[in-house]
Amino acid sequence: MMMTILQGIFTCVLGVAGGIAVGGGVIALIIVLDIIPRLSQLTATYNRVHWYEGALIAGSFIGTVADFWRWSVPLGPVVSTVIGLMCGIFIGMLAAALTEVLNVLPILAKRLRLTGYLFGLLMAMVAGKVAGSLFDWFVYSK
């Protein structure tokens, strides 16, 4: 009984920590890449920046809730195609933003005075990604 409670607490703490890490990383990426200001600049809609921010927050929240509660909506092939197209546009815009600021890590390492540790920083990122993937494949998916 006590072990089950401890496992539940550990799972909750691990889930919150993972959510904070992933959410912080996504927000940092969006801020470092200046996605919203760049999008408003490209579309000449500076006066609607708050709509972009609201859409980003609402989409993240609704996507999280839909994933947790396993929402399923039978939309049909036409609507699914439109949604897929919109997702593809988003990924394309994100890839374009990443290409535009490809040298983010060296600049960040220079500003934080970590240039001597850049290789270690990259290896830590790779090791974290590998460890997370292995955990997902062997532990979480069972």
Side-chain angles (χ1 to χ4, degrees):
M1 175 74 174
M2 186 65 166
M3 197 61 159
T4 306
I5 293 172
L6 288 175
Q7 285 176 339
I9 291 171
F10 179 72
T11 303
C12 288
V13 169
L14 188 62
V16 169
I20 289 172
V22 170
V26 168
I27 294 302
L29 181 71
I30 289 170
I31 289 171
V32 166
L33 294 179
D34 285 337
I35 289 177
I36 292 177
R38 182 75 174 133
L39 182 62
S40 66
Q41 178 186 12
L42 290 173
T43 58
T45 55
Y46 291 110
N47 57 343
R48 294 195 177 103
V49 169
H50 59 282
W51 284 98
Y52 293 127
E53 293 168 348
L56 188 67
I57 292 168
S60 298
F61 180 74
I62 291 170
T64 301
V65 170
D67 186 41
F68 280 154
W69 291 341
R70 299 184 191 269
W71 287 352
S72 175
V73 181
L75 298 174
V78 174
V79 177
S80 295
T81 302
V82 171
I83 291 173
L85 180 65
M86 294 298 160
C87 290
I89 290 171
F90 174 76
I91 297 298
M93 289 173 58
L94 184 62
L98 281 170
T99 303
E100 188 173 328
V101 290
L102 192 58
N103 56 353
V104 168
L105 282 177
I107 291 173
L108 186 64
K110 184 177 179 182
R111 287 187 183 169
L112 295 176
R113 296 184 181 102
L114 296 173
T115 52
Y117 303 104
L118 188 58
F119 181 75
L121 178 66
L122 290 173
M123 288 298 111
M125 294 169 88
V126 169
K129 184 68 176 172
V130 169
S133 295
L134 290 174
F135 179 80
D136 184 49
W137 289 338
F138 294 124
V139 177
Y140 186 69
S141 62
K142 286 187 177 184

